[in-house]
Amino acid sequence: TTRVGHGPFPTELQNEMQTLEDYVEEYIGPEVSLDRKGHSSGPYTVKKGDKIRVGEMLQELGHEYGTTTGRRRRCGWLDIALVKYSALVNGFDSINITKLDVLTGLKTIRIAISYRNKQMTEVRLPRGYFPSHLEDLKEVVCEYETMEGWSEDISQCTRWEDLPTNAKKYVMRIQELLDIPVSWVGVGPERESMLRVNVPSRIGSPLPGSPFVPPLR
């Protein structure tokens, strides 16, 4: 998830100035080195075994800079509550996931599956809940689910079937949590890097722990 400008961002890991504490994880992917013109720390380089700041990695490997301003975008873990709300407002019947390749190398990947009240973290807010006011959004903390990452370079994959098992599990888990089919995933910047997801969805099946809601008559 990314955001430009000010305002609450529940899953934020790193800000525009790269001054947040960030989430540290082991990098298990191929070595990467990117030039960062004018950056005080020089090129951005990661190699297997490094302890990396995940938010910074998403910014740099994902090229999360404003096209016009050149400012870094704020980056964080995927926020399921936010995406579900967007789908509700816009009437999505399927979604595409882009920049899956940017997650390559993270030993584990987190997904924010629901919100909790910051003042009473033992209380999980209803699944799909999204605050109606920004001030209320400031008062939530995220409940996370952790999944295993993958080490393989997926940027050259040309079919869904070519993706590593853990990458496919991540995509399918997003589909399950959103209850919306994932139609395409992107593994690079080119048009040919969009892969059709050839997996029948089980949309409408209740998630584990979800209350039974009888169909309307």
Side-chain angles (χ1 to χ4, degrees), residues 4 16 59 63-74:
V4 177
E16 178 185 336
Q59 289 174 329
H63 304 286
E64 293 293 351
Y65 288 80
T67 303
T68 303
T69 64
R71 291 162 51 191
R72 292 187 198 88
R73 300 186 181 105
R74 299 161 64 190

Side-chain angles (χ1 to χ4, degrees), residues 5 26 43 59-60 64 70 92 109 138 158 181 186 193-194 207 211:
E26 181 182 353
Q59 289 174 329
E60 303 301 341
E64 293 293 351
F92 298 151
I109 301 171
K138 294 178 182 178
T158 58
S193 300
M194 293 300 294
L207 295 174

Side-chain angles (χ1 to χ4, degrees), residues 12-13 25 27 36 48-49 67 88 90 117 130 147 150 182:
E12 183 174 19
L13 295 173
E25 181 56 277
Y27 183 77
R36 297 188 289 186
K48 188 174 182 178
T67 303
L88 174 67
N90 293 282
N117 188 305
F130 193 82
M147 302 192 68
W150 58 92
V182 176

Side-chain angles (χ1 to χ4, degrees), residues 36-200:
R36 297 188 289 186
K37 294 181 180 179
H39 197 289
S40 59
S41 300
Y44 182 76
T45 302
V46 290
K47 59 183 183 295
K48 188 174 182 178
D50 284 352
K51 295 293 185 180
I52 59 168
R53 300 199 303 167
V54 175
E56 181 183 11
M57 172 186 156
L58 297 178
Q59 289 174 329
E60 303 301 341
L61 297 189
H63 304 286
E64 293 293 351
Y65 288 80
T67 303
T68 303
T69 64
R71 291 162 51 191
R72 292 187 198 88
R73 300 186 181 105
R74 299 161 64 190
C75 290
W77 299 115
L78 177 64
D79 186 336
I80 291 295
L82 176 62
V83 180
K84 282 185 73 72
Y85 180 71
S86 179
L88 174 67
V89 170
N90 293 282
F92 298 151
D93 53 22
S94 73
I95 64 167
N96 299 341
I97 298 175
T98 59
K99 296 191 175 184
L100 186 66
D101 55 306
V102 176
L103 299 177
T104 293
L106 292 177
K107 188 172 183 179
T108 61
I109 301 171
R110 304 178 88 194
I111 303 175
I113 61 173
S114 62
Y115 291 153
R116 290 181 182 267
N117 188 305
K118 187 182 293 184
Q119 307 305 321
M120 299 180 293
T121 55
E122 71 278 6
V123 178
R124 175 194 278 178
L125 299 172
R127 185 181 296 276
Y129 167 84
F130 193 82
S132 57
H133 300 283
L134 288 178
E135 291 302 313
D136 293 335
L137 189 58
K138 294 178 182 178
E139 298 303 314
V140 304
V141 292
C142 296
E143 177 182 343
Y144 289 98
E145 180 175 303
T146 301
M147 302 192 68
E148 294 296 320
W150 58 92
S151 60
E152 302 91 333
D153 178 8
I154 64 174
S155 63
Q156 301 305 311
C157 291
T158 58
R159 302 181 308 150
W160 163 258
E161 292 77 12
D162 298 334
L163 292 175
T165 298
N166 284 349
K168 289 187 282 191
K169 285 182 178 179
Y170 174 73
V171 173
M172 290 295 96
R173 183 56 178 152
I174 293 171
Q175 175 173 276
E176 182 181 28
L177 289 167
L178 292 176
D179 207 26
I180 302 170
V182 176
S183 298
W184 299 82
V185 294
V187 296
E190 306 301 329
R191 179 175 297 181
E192 295 76 15
S193 300
M194 293 300 294
L195 314 182
R196 180 72 179 179
V197 179
N198 298 315
V199 177

